[in-house]
Amino acid sequence: MIVVGISDYKTARRPDRLITYALGSCVGTCLFDERSGAAGLSHILLPDSTINRTDTNIMKYADTAIEALVREMERQGIRRTQLKAKIAGGANMFAAQSKSMNIGERNVAAVKEHLRRLGIRLLAEDTGKNYGRTVEFDPESGAMSVKSVLHGVHVF
Amino acid sequence: MKNYDDLSDQEKDILREVGNIGGGNAATALASMLAGRVDMSVPNLQIMDVSSVTETLGGPEQEYVGILLMMEGQVNGIMMFLLDKHFTRLLINVLLDTQFESFEHIGEMELSALKEIGNIMAGSYVNAIAALTGLSITITPPQIAIDMAGAILSYPAALFGVMGDKVLCIEEDFMRENEQIRSHLLIMPDSESLSNILKRLGVTEWH
């Protein structure tokens, strides 16, 4: 099992699996190519890197992380046109946050925008609501498994 | 503007002292609320990465009760209490004189009790900061999330991801009969507020 931390991404080939723990407002994005059994999992914290020009961690922001992960997978010989995506997370953990501060929603919107921009099809998502999610991905089957405290495990 | 990464040892000592005074106030307030049936240790204040906080809490999937309050006025930022579920249940049961068991079906009464605990504890720290600095600070009504530590912490992590990854973390041990449980309080004034606090406390050279 390959563990992806916050503001991090990793790639894996079958039979290895990828996991990232306890996504709250963060978004986990899985890019995968079932035919070659390759996958990448990104765990972003924030939607937009332009808010902090001194921060050099491109894996922290949706606008830079998704593209960098795509390039990394291309370097490993996977064609961009073969890539598909599944995403999870982007919860609103505290109910009364004002609209402008709903980072979860903004993260999901940013990830979708950059997937679109890069021409990668989003197959499925489990996003929003108000609870944390642990995400596991199996490059072999392309199945994303989402675990939460109250709702157990669901695979899609 | 001041980031947590730039704090000198002297500045950290002063912040520790503010934390000690706040913790003392909190201990007194909570003990009276619980009719003396809970004791607290002297708080331990550390400046740490948000990711290390998760480790301190026993890993990202460990379940906690998170109580969030925003500081507003002349100090802006976040306060967040992370309470162990087992201990929180004990606190609620002592406060309400009930036998509440499961967080899956938590009711309004229990949530109100939790918010009250959050208010009282946050007030203790905020009053200490306000008294020592002369800055006026108000706190917003508490909000609660009962979930995995990593998910709860994603909120402060995201808000403060823009200003560095360090937070002030105050650990306190609560003792009741034979049980001892640790609570964690994260205090994150934004960098302008942190600068103001340190300036008022007379410890900062301005750069």
Coordinates of all heavy atoms in Angstrom, one line a residue, chain B residues 117-186:
Chain B
I117 N -18.8 24.0 26.7 CA -17.4 23.7 27.1 C -16.4 24.5 26.2 O -15.5 25.1 26.7 CB -17.2 22.2 27.0 CG1 -18.0 21.4 28.1 CG2 -15.7 21.9 27.2 CD1 -18.1 19.9 27.9
G118 N -16.7 24.4 24.9 CA -15.9 25.2 24.0 C -15.8 26.6 24.3 O -14.7 27.2 24.3
N119 N -17.0 27.2 24.5 CA -17.0 28.7 24.8 C -16.2 29.0 26.1 O -15.5 30.0 26.1 CB -18.5 29.0 25.1 CG -19.2 29.6 23.9 OD1 -18.5 30.2 23.1 ND2 -20.5 29.4 23.8
I120 N -16.4 28.2 27.1 CA -15.8 28.5 28.4 C -14.3 28.4 28.3 O -13.5 29.3 28.7 CB -16.3 27.6 29.5 CG1 -17.7 28.1 29.8 CG2 -15.4 27.6 30.7 CD1 -18.5 27.2 30.8
M121 N -13.8 27.3 27.6 CA -12.4 27.1 27.5 C -11.8 28.2 26.5 O -10.7 28.8 26.8 CB -12.1 25.7 27.0 CG -12.5 24.7 28.1 SD -12.1 23.0 27.6 CE -10.3 23.0 27.6
A122 N -12.4 28.4 25.4 CA -11.9 29.4 24.5 C -11.9 30.8 25.2 O -10.9 31.6 25.0 CB -12.7 29.5 23.2
G123 N -12.9 31.1 25.9 CA -13.0 32.4 26.6 C -11.8 32.6 27.6 O -11.2 33.7 27.7
S124 N -11.4 31.5 28.2 CA -10.3 31.5 29.2 C -9.0 32.0 28.5 O -8.3 32.8 29.0 CB -10.1 30.2 29.8 OG -11.3 29.8 30.4
Y125 N -8.8 31.4 27.3 CA -7.5 31.7 26.6 C -7.6 33.1 26.0 O -6.7 33.9 26.0 CB -7.2 30.7 25.5 CG -6.7 29.4 26.1 CD1 -7.6 28.3 26.3 CD2 -5.4 29.2 26.4 CE1 -7.2 27.1 26.9 CE2 -5.0 28.0 26.9 CZ -5.8 27.0 27.2 OH -5.4 25.8 27.7
V126 N -8.8 33.4 25.4 CA -8.9 34.7 24.7 C -8.8 35.8 25.8 O -8.2 36.9 25.5 CB -10.3 34.8 24.0 CG1 -10.7 36.2 23.8 CG2 -10.2 34.0 22.7
N127 N -9.4 35.6 26.9 CA -9.3 36.7 28.0 C -7.9 36.9 28.4 O -7.5 38.0 28.7 CB -10.2 36.3 29.2 CG -11.6 36.4 28.9 OD1 -12.0 37.1 27.9 ND2 -12.5 35.8 29.7
A128 N -7.1 35.8 28.5 CA -5.7 35.9 28.9 C -4.9 36.7 27.8 O -4.2 37.7 28.2 CB -5.0 34.5 29.0
I129 N -5.2 36.5 26.6 CA -4.5 37.2 25.5 C -4.9 38.7 25.5 O -4.1 39.6 25.5 CB -4.8 36.6 24.1 CG1 -4.3 35.2 24.0 CG2 -4.1 37.4 23.0 CD1 -4.8 34.4 22.8
A130 N -6.2 38.9 25.7 CA -6.8 40.3 25.7 C -6.2 41.1 26.9 O -5.8 42.2 26.8 CB -8.3 40.2 25.7
A131 N -6.2 40.4 28.1 CA -5.7 41.1 29.3 C -4.2 41.5 29.2 O -3.8 42.6 29.6 CB -6.0 40.2 30.5
L132 N -3.4 40.6 28.6 CA -2.0 40.9 28.5 C -1.6 41.8 27.4 O -0.6 42.5 27.5 CB -1.2 39.5 28.3 CG -1.3 38.6 29.5 CD1 -0.8 37.2 29.1 CD2 -0.4 39.1 30.7
T133 N -2.4 41.9 26.4 CA -2.1 42.7 25.2 C -2.9 44.0 25.1 O -2.5 44.9 24.4 CB -2.3 42.0 23.9 OG1 -3.7 41.6 23.8 CG2 -1.4 40.7 23.8
G134 N -4.0 44.0 25.8 CA -4.9 45.2 25.7 C -5.7 45.2 24.3 O -6.4 46.2 24.0
L135 N -5.6 44.1 23.6 CA -6.3 44.0 22.3 C -7.7 43.5 22.6 O -7.9 42.6 23.4 CB -5.6 43.1 21.3 CG -4.2 43.5 20.9 CD1 -3.4 42.4 20.2 CD2 -4.3 44.7 19.9
S136 N -8.7 44.0 21.8 CA -10.0 43.5 22.0 C -10.3 42.3 21.1 O -10.1 42.4 19.9 CB -11.0 44.7 21.9 OG -11.9 44.4 20.9
I137 N -10.8 41.2 21.6 CA -11.0 40.0 20.8 C -12.4 39.4 21.2 O -12.7 39.4 22.3 CB -10.0 38.9 21.2 CG1 -8.5 39.5 21.2 CG2 -10.1 37.7 20.2 CD1 -7.5 38.5 21.9
T138 N -13.1 39.1 20.1 CA -14.4 38.4 20.4 C -14.3 37.0 19.7 O -13.5 36.8 18.8 CB -15.6 39.1 19.8 OG1 -15.3 39.3 18.4 CG2 -15.8 40.5 20.4
I139 N -15.1 36.1 20.2 CA -15.1 34.8 19.6 C -16.5 34.5 19.1 O -17.5 34.9 19.6 CB -14.7 33.6 20.6 CG1 -15.4 33.8 21.9 CG2 -13.2 33.6 20.7 CD1 -15.0 32.6 22.9
T140 N -16.5 33.8 17.9 CA -17.8 33.4 17.3 C -18.4 32.2 18.0 O -17.7 31.5 18.7 CB -17.6 33.1 15.8 OG1 -16.7 32.0 15.7 CG2 -17.0 34.3 15.0
P141 N -19.7 31.9 17.8 CA -20.3 30.7 18.4 C -19.5 29.5 17.9 O -19.1 29.4 16.8 CB -21.7 30.7 17.9 CG -22.0 32.1 17.6 CD -20.7 32.7 17.1
P142 N -19.3 28.5 18.8 CA -18.6 27.3 18.5 C -19.3 26.4 17.4 O -20.5 26.4 17.4 CB -18.5 26.5 19.8 CG -19.1 27.4 20.8 CD -19.8 28.5 20.2
Q143 N -18.5 25.8 16.6 CA -19.1 24.8 15.6 C -18.4 23.5 15.9 O -17.2 23.4 16.3 CB -18.7 25.2 14.2 CG -19.4 26.5 13.8 CD -18.9 26.9 12.4 OE1 -18.9 26.1 11.5 NE2 -18.5 28.2 12.3
I144 N -19.1 22.4 15.7 CA -18.6 21.1 16.1 C -18.5 20.1 14.9 O -19.4 20.1 14.1 CB -19.5 20.5 17.2 CG1 -19.4 21.5 18.4 CG2 -19.1 19.1 17.6 CD1 -20.0 21.0 19.7
A145 N -17.4 19.4 14.9 CA -17.3 18.3 13.9 C -16.8 17.0 14.7 O -15.8 17.2 15.4 CB -16.4 18.6 12.8
I146 N -17.5 15.9 14.6 CA -17.0 14.7 15.2 C -16.6 13.7 14.1 O -17.5 13.2 13.4 CB -18.2 14.1 16.1 CG1 -18.6 15.1 17.1 CG2 -17.7 12.8 16.8 CD1 -20.0 14.9 17.8
D147 N -15.3 13.5 13.9 CA -14.8 12.8 12.7 C -13.4 12.5 12.9 O -12.8 12.6 14.0 CB -15.0 13.7 11.5 CG -15.3 13.0 10.2 OD1 -14.6 12.0 9.9 OD2 -16.3 13.3 9.6
M148 N -12.8 12.0 11.8 CA -11.3 11.7 11.8 C -10.5 13.0 12.0 O -10.8 14.0 11.4 CB -11.0 11.0 10.5 CG -11.7 9.7 10.2 SD -11.1 8.9 8.7 CE -12.3 9.5 7.5
A149 N -9.4 12.8 12.8 CA -8.6 14.0 13.1 C -8.1 14.7 11.9 O -8.1 15.9 11.8 CB -7.4 13.5 14.0
G150 N -7.6 13.9 10.9 CA -7.1 14.5 9.7 C -8.2 15.4 8.9 O -7.9 16.5 8.4
A151 N -9.4 14.9 8.9 CA -10.5 15.6 8.2 C -10.8 16.9 9.0 O -11.0 18.0 8.4 CB -11.7 14.7 8.1
I152 N -10.9 16.8 10.3 CA -11.2 18.0 11.1 C -10.1 19.1 10.9 O -10.3 20.2 10.7 CB -11.3 17.6 12.6 CG1 -12.5 16.7 12.9 CG2 -11.3 18.9 13.5 CD1 -12.5 16.2 14.3
L153 N -8.8 18.6 10.9 CA -7.7 19.5 10.8 C -7.5 20.1 9.4 O -6.8 21.1 9.2 CB -6.4 18.8 11.2 CG -6.2 18.6 12.7 CD1 -5.1 17.7 13.0 CD2 -6.0 20.0 13.4
S154 N -8.2 19.5 8.4 CA -8.1 20.1 7.1 C -8.6 21.5 7.0 O -8.1 22.3 6.2 CB -8.8 19.2 6.1 OG -10.2 19.3 6.2
Y155 N -9.6 21.8 7.9 CA -10.1 23.2 7.8 C -9.0 24.2 8.3 O -8.7 25.1 7.5 CB -11.4 23.3 8.7 CG -12.0 24.7 8.6 CD1 -12.5 25.1 7.4 CD2 -11.9 25.5 9.7 CE1 -13.0 26.4 7.3 CE2 -12.5 26.8 9.6 CZ -13.0 27.2 8.4 OH -13.5 28.5 8.3
P156 N -8.5 24.1 9.5 CA -7.4 25.1 9.8 C -6.2 25.0 8.9 O -5.6 26.0 8.6 CB -7.0 24.7 11.3 CG -7.6 23.4 11.6 CD -8.8 23.3 10.7
A157 N -5.9 23.7 8.4 CA -4.7 23.6 7.6 C -4.9 24.4 6.3 O -4.0 25.1 5.8 CB -4.5 22.1 7.2
A158 N -6.2 24.3 5.7 CA -6.4 25.0 4.5 C -6.4 26.5 4.7 O -5.8 27.3 3.9 CB -7.8 24.6 3.9
L159 N -7.0 27.0 5.8 CA -7.1 28.4 6.1 C -5.7 29.0 6.3 O -5.4 30.1 5.9 CB -7.9 28.7 7.3 CG -9.4 29.0 7.1 CD1 -10.0 29.5 8.4 CD2 -9.6 29.9 6.0
F160 N -4.8 28.2 6.9 CA -3.5 28.8 7.2 C -2.4 28.2 6.3 O -1.3 28.6 6.5 CB -3.2 28.5 8.7 CG -4.1 29.5 9.5 CD1 -5.3 29.1 9.9 CD2 -3.6 30.8 9.8 CE1 -6.2 30.0 10.5 CE2 -4.4 31.7 10.4 CZ -5.7 31.3 10.8
G161 N -2.8 27.4 5.4 CA -1.8 26.9 4.4 C -1.2 28.1 3.6 O -0.1 27.9 3.1
V162 N -1.9 29.2 3.6 CA -1.4 30.4 2.9 C -0.3 31.1 3.7 O 0.4 32.0 3.2 CB -2.5 31.3 2.6 CG1 -3.4 30.7 1.4 CG2 -3.4 31.6 3.8
M163 N -0.2 30.9 5.0 CA 0.8 31.7 5.8 C 1.8 30.9 6.5 O 2.5 31.3 7.4 CB 0.0 32.5 6.8 CG -0.9 31.7 7.7 SD -1.4 32.6 9.2 CE 0.0 32.4 10.2
G164 N 2.1 29.7 6.0 CA 3.0 28.8 6.7 C 2.3 27.7 7.4 O 1.1 27.8 7.5
D165 N 3.0 26.6 7.8 CA 2.2 25.5 8.2 C 2.3 25.3 9.7 O 2.0 24.2 10.2 CB 2.8 24.2 7.5 CG 2.5 24.3 6.0 OD1 1.4 24.6 5.7 OD2 3.4 24.1 5.2
K166 N 2.8 26.3 10.5 CA 2.9 26.1 11.9 C 1.7 26.6 12.7 O 1.1 27.6 12.3 CB 4.2 26.9 12.4 CG 5.5 26.4 11.8 CD 6.0 25.2 12.6 CE 7.5 25.0 12.3 NZ 7.8 24.6 11.0
V167 N 1.4 25.9 13.8 CA 0.4 26.3 14.7 C 0.9 26.3 16.1 O 1.9 25.6 16.4 CB -0.9 25.4 14.6 CG1 -1.5 25.5 13.2 CG2 -0.6 24.0 15.0
L168 N 0.2 27.0 17.0 CA 0.5 26.9 18.4 C -0.4 25.8 19.0 O -1.6 25.9 18.8 CB 0.1 28.2 19.2 CG 0.8 29.5 18.7 CD1 0.3 30.6 19.6 CD2 2.3 29.3 18.8
C169 N 0.2 24.8 19.6 CA -0.6 23.7 20.1 C -0.4 23.6 21.6 O 0.7 23.4 22.0 CB -0.2 22.4 19.4 SG -1.1 20.9 20.0
I170 N -1.5 23.7 22.3 CA -1.5 23.6 23.8 C -2.1 22.2 24.2 O -3.2 21.9 23.9 CB -2.2 24.7 24.4 CG1 -1.6 26.0 24.0 CG2 -2.2 24.5 26.0 CD1 -2.4 27.3 24.5
E171 N -1.2 21.4 24.8 CA -1.7 20.1 25.3 C -2.0 20.2 26.8 O -1.2 20.8 27.6 CB -0.7 19.0 25.2 CG -0.4 18.7 23.7 CD 0.7 17.6 23.7 OE1 1.5 17.5 24.6 OE2 0.7 16.9 22.7
E172 N -3.2 19.7 27.2 CA -3.5 19.7 28.6 C -4.0 18.3 29.0 O -4.8 17.7 28.3 CB -4.6 20.7 28.8 CG -4.1 22.0 29.5 CD -5.3 22.9 29.7 OE1 -6.1 23.1 28.8 OE2 -5.4 23.4 30.8
D173 N -3.6 17.8 30.2 CA -4.2 16.6 30.7 C -5.3 16.8 31.6 O -5.2 17.7 32.5 CB -3.1 15.8 31.4 CG -2.0 15.3 30.4 OD1 -2.5 15.0 29.2 OD2 -0.9 15.2 30.7
F174 N -6.4 16.1 31.4 CA -7.5 16.2 32.3 C -7.5 14.9 33.2 O -7.4 13.8 32.6 CB -8.8 16.3 31.6 CG -9.0 17.5 30.7 CD1 -8.3 17.6 29.5 CD2 -9.8 18.5 31.2 CE1 -8.5 18.8 28.8 CE2 -10.0 19.7 30.4 CZ -9.3 19.8 29.2
M175 N -7.7 15.1 34.5 CA -7.8 13.9 35.3 C -9.1 13.8 36.0 O -9.6 14.8 36.6 CB -6.6 14.0 36.4 CG -5.3 13.5 35.9 SD -4.3 14.7 35.0 CE -4.0 15.9 36.3
R176 N -9.7 12.6 36.0 CA -10.9 12.4 36.7 C -10.9 11.0 37.3 O -10.7 10.1 36.5 CB -12.1 12.6 35.9 CG -13.4 12.5 36.6 CD -14.6 12.8 35.7 NE -15.8 12.7 36.4 CZ -16.5 11.6 36.6 NH1 -16.1 10.5 36.1 NH2 -17.6 11.6 37.3
E177 N -10.9 10.9 38.6 CA -10.8 9.6 39.2 C -9.5 8.9 38.7 O -8.4 9.5 38.7 CB -12.1 8.8 39.1 CG -13.2 9.3 39.9 CD -14.6 9.0 39.5 OE1 -14.7 8.0 38.6 OE2 -15.5 9.6 39.9
N178 N -9.6 7.7 38.1 CA -8.4 7.0 37.6 C -8.1 7.3 36.2 O -7.2 6.7 35.6 CB -8.5 5.5 37.9 CG -8.6 5.2 39.3 OD1 -7.9 5.9 40.1 ND2 -9.4 4.2 39.7
E179 N -8.9 8.2 35.6 CA -8.7 8.4 34.1 C -7.9 9.7 33.8 O -8.1 10.7 34.5 CB -10.0 8.4 33.4 CG -10.8 7.1 33.6 CD -12.0 7.1 32.8 OE1 -11.9 6.6 31.6 OE2 -13.0 7.5 33.2
Q180 N -7.0 9.6 32.8 CA -6.3 10.8 32.4 C -6.4 10.8 30.9 O -6.0 9.9 30.2 CB -4.8 10.7 32.9 CG -4.0 11.8 32.3 CD -2.6 11.9 33.0 OE1 -2.5 11.5 34.1 NE2 -1.7 12.4 32.3
I181 N -6.9 12.0 30.4 CA -7.0 12.1 29.0 C -6.5 13.5 28.6 O -6.6 14.5 29.2 CB -8.5 11.9 28.5 CG1 -9.0 10.5 28.8 CG2 -8.6 12.1 27.0 CD1 -10.0 10.4 29.8
R182 N -5.9 13.5 27.4 CA -5.2 14.7 26.9 C -6.1 15.5 26.0 O -6.8 14.9 25.1 CB -3.9 14.3 26.2 CG -3.1 15.4 25.7 CD -1.7 15.0 25.5 NE -1.0 14.8 26.8 CZ 0.3 14.5 27.0 NH1 1.0 14.3 25.9 NH2 0.8 14.3 28.2
S183 N -6.2 16.8 26.1 CA -6.9 17.6 25.2 C -5.9 18.5 24.4 O -4.9 18.8 25.0 CB -8.0 18.5 25.9 OG -7.4 19.8 26.2
H184 N -6.3 18.8 23.2 CA -5.4 19.7 22.4 C -6.1 20.9 22.0 O -7.3 20.8 21.6 CB -4.9 18.9 21.2 CG -4.0 17.8 21.5 ND1 -4.5 16.5 21.9 CD2 -2.7 17.6 21.6 CE1 -3.5 15.7 22.1 NE2 -2.4 16.4 21.9
L185 N -5.5 22.0 22.2 CA -6.0 23.3 21.7 C -5.1 23.9 20.7 O -3.9 24.0 21.0 CB -6.2 24.3 22.9 CG -6.5 25.7 22.5 CD1 -7.7 25.9 21.7 CD2 -6.5 26.6 23.8
L186 N -5.6 24.2 19.5 CA -4.8 24.9 18.5 C -5.2 26.3 18.5 O -6.4 26.6 18.4 CB -5.0 24.2 17.1 CG -4.8 22.7 17.0 CD1 -5.1 22.3 15.6 CD2 -3.4 22.3 17.5

